[in-house]
Amino acid sequence: MRMMLLTAGTRGDVEPFTALARHAAACGHEVRLALPDDAVAPADVDTVPLGLDARRVLAPPGRSPIAIAHHVRSEVRPAMRRMFAAAVRETVAFDPDVVVHHPLILSAPMVTDTLGVPRVLAEFAPVATPSARFPAAGGPTATRDLGSGNRTSYAVPRAAARLFDADVARAAAGLPGGRGPARRSSSRATLMAVSPALLPRPDDWPERVHQTGAWYEDGPAPTADPAVAAFLDAGPFVVASLGSMASLGPSADGEASARGRAVVTAARFHGLRVLLVTGWGGLALPSECRGPDVLAVRSAPFDAVLPGAALAVHHGGAGTSHAVARAGVPAVVVPVTADQPFWAAQLHRQGLAAAAVPLRRLSAWTLASAMGDALSRRERAAEVGRLVRREHGVRRAVDVLESL
């Protein structure tokens, strides 16, 4: 089969698609992966850019309504427009037998309908597949069971998608004939790349929804940098990361340092050392917290550094949540946006994490208390880690695609 894979977003959205691409290629399929321009393109995968710089889109220069409105006009809308057009152009050029796409690739339905090939939606959190058992993973209601109103919450991401209808329509210029089809067909299948150990399958998902488990590489875990490995070997440690969260506004550096100070102070209270993964700048190490028990790095392969950790402090993105669970490590989740509050609440319900610490309440005291709670959950985290490691998400996903 010729498989076109289309993804958008940050590292947590790109790495699972990369794992799927590699496994599909190893099974003999011809695969092309379209991904954001600022993603690290794997050398062994056929990739094309989508004209989207995820970091620029997700990092407005300030928090004021005026700054955000200007950012939407000057960065978000043009970037989404380029991405929709590139997804159409690259898919038509590849002439695939099947298209697998991220929910943000809103132009995927019209190009698959035009080409007459099956479309498969990939979700890393339930945002497009409604259930009465829990609310949509994005939006203000993500952490609360709304009972009979749970299904209604899925209208929020649908409404957000409709804001880009005009931009999607413009992308139709790249279709054969220059016009999109009058009607949009449903996806042939949905690949829910979510572990049932973290989110048990609800009884009202249709049969076309395949809960594969998370997508990750089946091969040997990557190795950490020698300096990182030496640090981790020296005693019990915490891995702290806010992933792709960026610090915003004129006080950004001070806020990132304050968060780093809170993490280090709380960890020291429990006699733990700290690997501080600064990412896009959401965390920073202030000079007064430096010491032999703290190492700050911009990035680190989670599969290499998490398995030996006493606990993890993270933002609750789907990819990080699954990586921490797979490693069998308990967590403190500091959710910021998007699906992060959903995963923070879900990890707590499953006994894998302390109750979420909202970003506005982050302090050394709240973190120290939450760390104590998380450390009491080590046995449950280890049990779930064994379950998640038995899942082979990309294998199941390719099996589904081959059965279409």
Side-chain angles (χ1 to χ4, degrees), residues 125-223:
V127 293
T129 302
S131 173
R133 306 296 173 252
F134 42 74
T141 63
T143 61
R144 302 196 304 274
D145 186 343
L146 304 175
S148 60
N150 279 333
R151 277 190 170 272
T152 305
S153 69
Y154 291 81
V156 174
R158 287 197 299 270
R162 284 197 294 272
L163 295 174
F164 296 98
D165 280 352
D167 302 303
V168 173
R170 289 180 61 168
L175 294 170
R179 295 182 60 186
R183 298 183 61 187
R184 165 180 159 169
S185 301
S186 298
S187 61
R188 183 74 60 85
T190 293
L191 298 175
M192 189 68 68
V194 170
S195 170
L198 272 59
L199 184 70
R201 182 186 178 99
D203 57 7
D204 58 349
W205 276 351
E207 289 185 7
R208 65 182 180 82
V209 177
H210 303 268
Q211 189 171 7
T212 62
W215 297 350
Y216 58 91
E217 305 282 356
D218 279 338
T223 57

Side-chain angles (χ1 to χ4, degrees), residues 3-393:
M3 297 183 182
M4 185 74 192
L5 311 184
L6 304 162
T7 189
T10 60
R11 179 176 175 179
D13 303 285
V14 172
E15 289 187 351
F17 267 87
T18 300
L20 179 64
R22 284 181 171 140
H23 184 69
C27 291
H29 302 291
E30 189 174 351
V31 184
R32 179 165 293 172
L33 173 61
L35 72 178
D37 295 22
D38 59 333
V40 177
D44 56 342
V45 176
D46 178 12
T47 63
V48 290
L50 282 175
L52 169 76
D53 185 319
R55 183 167 184 174
R56 287 177 66 93
V57 167
L58 294 174
R63 294 191 181 93
S64 71
I66 292 176
I68 292 173
H70 176 73
H71 181 69
V72 169
R73 288 195 306 271
S74 63
E75 290 288 350
V76 178
R77 294 302 291 259
M80 296 295 277
R81 196 175 299 134
R82 291 193 301 271
M83 180 179 73
F84 299 150
V88 168
R89 181 178 64 251
E90 298 295 346
T91 302
V92 169
F94 188 60
D95 191 22
D97 298 311
V98 63
V99 172
V100 184
H101 72 98
H102 188 285
L104 285 177
I105 311 292
L106 300 175
S107 55
M110 69 179 181
V111 70
T112 53
D113 283 348
T114 299
L115 298 178
V117 299
R119 173 175 68 90
V120 176
L121 177 66
E123 295 186 69
F124 302 129
V127 293
T129 302
S131 173
R133 306 296 173 252
F134 42 74
T141 63
T143 61
R144 302 196 304 274
D145 186 343
L146 304 175
S148 60
N150 279 333
R151 277 190 170 272
T152 305
S153 69
Y154 291 81
V156 174
R158 287 197 299 270
R162 284 197 294 272
L163 295 174
F164 296 98
D165 280 352
D167 302 303
V168 173
R170 289 180 61 168
L175 294 170
R179 295 182 60 186
R183 298 183 61 187
R184 165 180 159 169
S185 301
S186 298
S187 61
R188 183 74 60 85
T190 293
L191 298 175
M192 189 68 68
V194 170
S195 170
L198 272 59
L199 184 70
R201 182 186 178 99
D203 57 7
D204 58 349
W205 276 351
E207 289 185 7
R208 65 182 180 82
V209 177
H210 303 268
Q211 189 171 7
T212 62
W215 297 350
Y216 58 91
E217 305 282 356
D218 279 338
T223 57
D225 177 91
V228 173
F231 175 81
L232 301 184
D233 286 341
F237 63 92
V238 174
V239 176
S241 170
L242 293 182
S244 53
M245 176 191 165
S247 289
L248 310 176
S251 60
D253 291 343
E255 291 176 356
S257 291
R259 296 183 198 113
R261 183 182 303 108
V263 170
V264 172
T265 304
R268 284 172 172 165
F269 178 82
H270 289 284
L272 296 169
R273 304 156 73 255
V274 182
L275 177 66
L276 198 72
V277 184
T278 59
W280 283 8
L283 287 173
L285 179 63
S287 58
E288 68 271 19
C289 290
R290 298 183 187 278
D293 61 339
V294 183
L295 178 64
V297 296
R298 187 174 184 276
S299 65
F302 281 160
D303 288 347
V305 302
L306 281 171
L311 64 86
V313 176
H314 64 90
H315 62 310
T320 304
S321 294
H322 279 83
V324 173
R326 189 168 66 248
V329 175
V332 175
V333 185
V334 184
V336 182
T337 187
D339 62 340
Q340 297 162 16
F342 175 87
W343 287 116
Q346 191 61 28
L347 293 176
H348 181 56
R349 290 189 195 103
Q350 295 299 317
L352 305 175
V357 178
L359 188 65
R360 66 182 181 279
R361 293 186 55 236
L362 182 67
S363 68
W365 169 247
T366 57
L367 266 185
S369 177
M371 284 181 180
D373 184 332
L375 289 168
S376 72
R377 300 169 183 266
R378 284 177 286 193
E379 186 174 337
R380 171 63 177 162
E383 174 190 356
V384 170
R386 288 189 289 270
L387 294 174
V388 176
R389 289 193 294 274
R390 293 192 195 116
E391 300 168 2
H392 298 284

